[in-house]
Amino acid sequence: MAEFIDSILKEHRIFYPSDEFSRKSYIKHMKEYSKIYKKSIENPEAFWADKANGLEWIKKWDIVLRNDMGFFKWFEGGYLNVSYNCLDRIVKAGKKDKIALIWEPESGEEKTYTYGQLLKEVCKFTNVLKKFGVKRGHIVEIYLPMIPELPIAMLACARIGAIHSVVFAGFSSDALKDRIQDSKAELLITADGSFRNGKIFPLKDNADAALKECPTIQKVVVVKRADNSIYMQEGRDFWWHDLMNKKNIADFCEPESMHAEESLFILYTSGTTGKPKGILHTQAGYLLFSYLTFKWVFDIKDNDIYFCTADIGWITGHSYIVYGPLSNGATVVMYEGSPTYPNPDRFWRIIEKYRVTIFYTAPTAIRALAKEGDSWPNNCNLKSLRLLGTVGEPINPEAWMWYYNAIGKGRCPIVDTWWQTETGGILITPLPGATPLKPGSATKPFFGIIADVLREDGSKANVNEGGYLVIRNAWPGMLRTIWNDPQRYKEAYFEKFGVYLTGDSARIDEDGYFWIMGRVDDVIKVAGHRIGSAEVESSLVSHKAVAEAAVVPFPHEIKGQAIYAFVVLKKGVKNNENLKEELRQHVANSVGPIAKPDKIQFADDLPKTRSGKIMRRILKAIAEGGKDYGNIATLADPGIVEVLVRSRVK
Ligand code: WTA
């Protein structure tokens, strides 16, 4: 971390978009940005109302924004349908035969869907859901890999007003179980398996294990993807293709008229304490925000081919594979598998194959692929690219430069987009035709967003002084609450400063550019994936050998951050390398492989205050290999620090 902060403090290079790029873009100059920005924050309601006219409404809203005791409501009194806006509206605009979705499987033949075809598939699956008795307001759990059935299922839910809750297919059965139990879904959509690095991941087996403790689930729809042998429970489990191929399934279904503030989806994400929280997004505000940010940040034009490497199981896939691109009538490439399968040029091959013009990925992928050397991208034709994007974690200037030169060949602006599951869409970002870029900076707030950096006491930080990143106003894509826990919503986001607390630290430089420094809470960004230290700790202590555990991040060359676990074993348990591997596997089984600790240090005790609170700050310094542990005098046993430092895992 120290190295990273050092490198961004020294970063003074500036890169301008080419005149040609600017001329063709929606926002062509910083003067234009500043003018629109000023208007958007002086009168946000007028700004958003004007933009909302770009969507098709069944009935227009009565009021743009209302603060209902800390819960924000957008476009109340308005009615629309999200799937209609993403499909029917595009078909009606003459794009029935335009390709909506290109699906690239890890191996095998690609599949494409035009807007007309996608609409039919979505309608058919909506009719399947209806036959199962799914109605507006019901929750549908989706545990699918990156296959077309995933966006189809989401849009089908949106069409009848069912609330989807997508669980990342890389999560374990325990993680799935927790999310189903919290959301109390009645129907689950999954697949027999998924492919990654040529291997099959047993999704249905995981689902079966989870369902043993999920009595609310009545029916399961299973997509045949891996063709492996699975258990199908009579009366509960149904094949997707059987249901879709029934003769009486119509290929049209009238979209429901949804109130702007009815729920669209829940997406679970890790927070500071306890179990993951179900972030709730609603219909109109979320759609408008993903629509407009996608349009302007990616400067989308009718002939663009857009490829986002995120998994739809995370917010990036929700907003920038499904809702944002489709509501803009864009052509989206979705890829099922690993970036290095069969070789580390898979992304570059996909760009070449489909003549991708806009490419959006994560710093982790950039670092990992940069390490493989320039010959992989150099052997592919990347001339079609015109714009690059990154998301999910801070990008170090070296990785930025590699991306800019080796992939963008110095021609393509990079949009470093900062946002969160909670924000629904991008909040801090360059606008590619306007914003001069500084490698490592997410640059400036999007329209209608007032971002700031505060000190602990709530006062405004000075130029270049690090502090808490906050958002001072409401925006249409913001989360509405935490599912089943409105109190936690207020506490987690608004209690500290009375304005939206992001959980990140940042500084603002002399040009008003934002430099995101990372999380200040107990969330760890492992390869861009959001993991709660509490989740990993509770998994570790659920192992029979473990008495206590504390988990902190440490800097990792490729993944940005990785997990370092301090583990106190129960009396009499022998510590050895085998046990470390067993614990890693245990975490993989109970959370998911992405949450495995890279390093495990066995300890006799952990640094605690006299009241018994574990001092993670000290553990973090130890894990980072730093020398400054701060004040250790308040520890019950200050001597413990030296003992832990001596046996640090390098
Ligand atoms: C981090 C992902 C630096 C940040 C869309 C945030 C970033 C968390 C960036 C949210 C960026 C996201 N630069 N950090 N461009 N984008 N982050 O909910 O710490 O999975 O709070 O949403 O990712 O992660 P989440």
Side-chain angles (χ1 to χ4, degrees):
M1 197 54 165
E3 245 167 67
F4 169 68
I5 290 175
D6 208 39
S7 73
I8 60 174
L9 278 173
K10 287 194 204 116
E11 185 55 59
H12 289 300
R13 286 171 287 196
I14 298 187
F15 296 84
Y16 294 87
S18 69
D19 288 346
E20 196 200 344
F21 192 103
S22 295
R23 211 176 331 111
K24 292 184 187 155
S25 60
Y26 291 115
I27 314 291
K28 300 175 174 37
H29 199 279
M30 277 319 258
K31 280 196 197 115
E32 201 177 344
Y33 163 82
S34 302
K35 208 170 103 199
I36 303 175
Y37 180 75
K38 191 159 173 275
K39 265 172 77 180
S40 75
I41 59 168
E42 278 172 2
N43 193 347
E45 294 179 31
F47 174 79
W48 289 115
D50 176 50
K51 298 305 162 217
N53 287 319
L55 300 174
E56 197 171 322
W57 295 77
I58 297 163
K59 176 187 171 291
K60 289 243 168 120
W61 56 94
D62 300 323
I63 169 171
V64 178
L65 171 64
R66 188 167 68 89
N67 180 345
D68 180 12
M69 319 251 301
F71 295 91
F72 295 89
K73 315 277 179 195
W74 284 87
F75 302 108
E76 277 180 317
Y79 287 81
L80 51 60
N81 182 281
V82 170
S83 105
Y84 178 94
N85 271 281
C86 291
L87 300 167
D88 313 55
R89 185 171 63 96
I90 311 299
V91 168
K92 286 193 177 142
K95 295 189 191 169
K96 179 166 160 275
D97 297 325
K98 178 171 177 176
I99 292 175
L101 206 61
I102 301 175
W103 176 64
E104 167 87 0
E106 195 179 75
S107 50
E109 242 180 70
E110 78 267 10
K111 248 190 199 173
T112 60
Y113 294 80
T114 62
Y115 273 91
Q117 289 166 333
L118 194 60
L119 172 60
K120 278 192 179 164
E121 290 300 298
V122 168
C123 282
K124 272 167 72 180
F125 194 65
T126 311
N127 287 327
V128 167
L129 289 176
K130 278 179 153 177
K131 286 221 156 64
F132 279 124
V134 177
K135 296 201 170 63
R136 85 199 272 151
H138 287 190
I139 294 171
V140 174
E141 205 76 24
I142 306 180
Y143 183 54
L144 282 176
M146 285 290 283
I147 54 177
E149 286 80 359
L150 173 50
I152 290 169
M154 291 162 74
L155 290 161
C157 288
R159 200 163 184 89
I160 42 169
I163 306 165
H164 60 70
S165 172
V166 179
V167 179
F168 172 54
F171 275 137
S172 69
S173 61
D174 272 1
L176 175 64
K177 176 197 75 186
D178 287 345
R179 285 157 175 77
I180 296 176
Q181 286 180 347
D182 189 68
S183 68
K184 302 194 175 52
E186 289 161 39
L187 184 117
L188 170 70
I189 305 166
T190 187
D192 56 351
S194 71
F195 287 100
R196 189 139 179 119
N197 284 315
K199 287 195 223 88
I200 294 179
F201 190 73
L203 277 186
K204 178 62 166 60
D205 295 352
N206 287 352
D208 287 334
L211 291 187
K212 289 203 176 93
E213 294 169 72
C214 296
T216 56
I217 296 281
Q218 306 290 320
K219 302 282 182 229
V220 181
V221 179
V222 186
V223 179
K224 187 172 255 174
R225 167 66 192 121
D227 223 357
N228 56 337
S229 82
I230 56 160
Y231 164 75
M232 293 287 280
Q233 184 174 310
E234 185 73 33
R236 185 195 72 179
D237 302 351
F238 301 84
W239 287 109
W240 172 291
H241 57 267
D242 284 347
L243 299 165
M244 292 286 271
N245 292 339
K246 286 215 171 96
K247 285 217 176 58
N248 59 352
I249 290 290
D251 63 8
F252 185 72
C253 167
E254 209 51 65
E256 284 283 320
S257 172
M258 301 300 296
H259 183 261
E261 279 298 344
E262 279 181 86
S263 304
L264 177 63
F265 68 84
I266 308 170
L267 187 58
Y268 284 81
T269 190
S270 302
T272 299
T273 50
K275 291 204 164 163
K277 41 195 181 183
I279 302 300
L280 180 73
H281 286 288
T282 56
Q283 311 275 330
Y286 171 82
L287 178 66
L288 172 61
F289 199 66
S290 54
Y291 161 79
L292 192 72
T293 48
F294 182 76
K295 178 171 172 179
W296 279 352
V297 175
F298 295 102
D299 192 50
I300 196 77
K301 304 286 161 51
D302 200 28
N303 52 3
D304 275 315
I305 310 285
Y306 162 85
F307 175 25
C308 170
T309 69
D311 193 292
I312 295 177
W314 305 98
I315 191 69
T316 304
H318 278 59
S319 301
Y320 299 114
I321 293 181
V322 184
Y323 294 112
L326 297 180
S327 60
N328 276 282
T331 298
V332 191
V333 180
M334 70 181 270
Y335 169 53
E336 176 189 39
S338 153
T340 50
Y341 188 87
N343 290 308
D345 60 353
R346 189 61 191 264
F347 286 169
W348 322 135
R349 291 274 163 223
I350 294 174
I351 292 170
E352 176 178 75
K353 180 172 173 191
Y354 300 112
R355 297 197 185 84
V356 169
T357 56
I358 305 170
F359 178 62
Y360 192 31
T361 193
T364 291
I366 297 166
R367 287 187 293 261
L369 297 174
K371 210 172 157 213
E372 301 287 344
D374 291 8
S375 61
W376 294 106
N378 287 349
N379 286 330
C380 294
N381 182 349
L382 304 179
K383 285 204 179 86
S384 57
L385 284 174
R386 66 180 195 91
L387 177 59
L388 303 173
T390 138
V391 62
E393 42 176 328
I395 182 162
N396 45 314
E398 302 71 53
W400 195 101
M401 288 308 306
W402 183 81
Y403 197 28
Y404 190 75
N405 288 321
I407 307 306
K409 313 290 180 200
R411 293 182 294 107
C412 308
I414 298 178
V415 286
D416 175 355
T417 61
W418 177 89
W419 58 296
Q420 310 178 296
T421 307
E422 292 88 339
T423 69
I426 295 165
L427 297 198
I428 304 180
T429 179
L431 292 169
T435 315
L437 305 172
K438 301 188 187 184
S441 169
T443 76
K444 301 238 175 187
F446 188 74
F447 303 119
I449 304 298
I450 308 176
D452 212 342
V453 174
L454 304 182
R455 300 195 182 106
E456 187 67 46
D457 66 4
S459 59
K460 195 174 159 60
N462 281 334
V463 167
N464 281 325
E465 178 185 344
Y468 294 93
L469 177 65
V470 299
I471 310 299
R472 289 192 178 277
N473 61 335
W475 65 99
M478 69 192 298
L479 80 162
R480 297 303 193 265
T481 188
I482 294 175
W483 191 248
N484 287 334
D485 206 348
Q487 194 53 33
R488 190 173 171 199
Y489 158 83
K490 284 198 166 177
E491 284 165 12
Y493 302 108
F494 295 98
E495 199 170 72
K496 194 172 173 76
F497 295 122
V499 292
Y500 176 80
L501 180 71
T502 65
D504 281 0
S505 64
R507 69 182 170 94
I508 307 177
D509 74 10
E510 50 287 346
D511 298 321
Y513 276 46
F514 284 75
W515 298 78
I516 313 292
M517 284 140 75
R519 301 289 305 193
V520 279
D521 55 7
D522 294 327
V523 170
I524 307 180
K525 272 280 178 163
V526 182
H529 299 314
R530 187 164 159 178
I531 312 282
S533 44
E535 288 158 75
V536 183
E537 286 165 5
S538 58
S539 161
L540 285 168
V541 295
S542 72
H543 188 279
K544 59 183 186 309
V546 177
E548 246 185 322
V551 155
V552 292
F554 72 95
H556 186 282
E557 198 192 342
I558 305 284
K559 297 194 245 183
Q561 291 189 318
I563 295 177
Y564 192 119
F566 293 86
V567 173
V568 180
L569 295 173
K570 286 190 181 145
K571 287 239 151 37
V573 178
K574 277 235 297 281
N575 66 23
N576 56 37
E577 287 303 314
N578 289 346
L579 181 56
K580 282 190 183 173
E581 197 39 49
E582 194 179 315
L583 291 178
R584 264 198 279 273
Q585 205 44 51
H586 181 74
V587 175
N589 294 341
S590 61
V591 186
I594 50 171
K596 276 197 220 175
D598 270 43
K599 296 182 184 177
I600 296 181
Q601 174 173 350
F602 292 122
D604 293 333
D605 205 354
L606 299 174
K608 289 183 192 146
T609 59
R610 280 179 209 110
S611 60
K613 191 172 169 282
I614 297 175
M615 297 288 281
R616 282 204 180 66
R617 168 176 63 74
I618 297 175
L619 292 174
K620 194 161 168 251
I622 297 174
E624 284 171 357
K627 298 255 177 312
D628 180 11
Y629 310 114
N631 181 9
I632 60 171
T634 53
L635 291 181
D637 171 15
I640 183 87
V641 175
E642 209 190 309
V643 179
L644 290 173
V645 172
R646 246 185 279 129
S647 41
R648 180 171 90 91
V649 180
K650 295 215 173 71

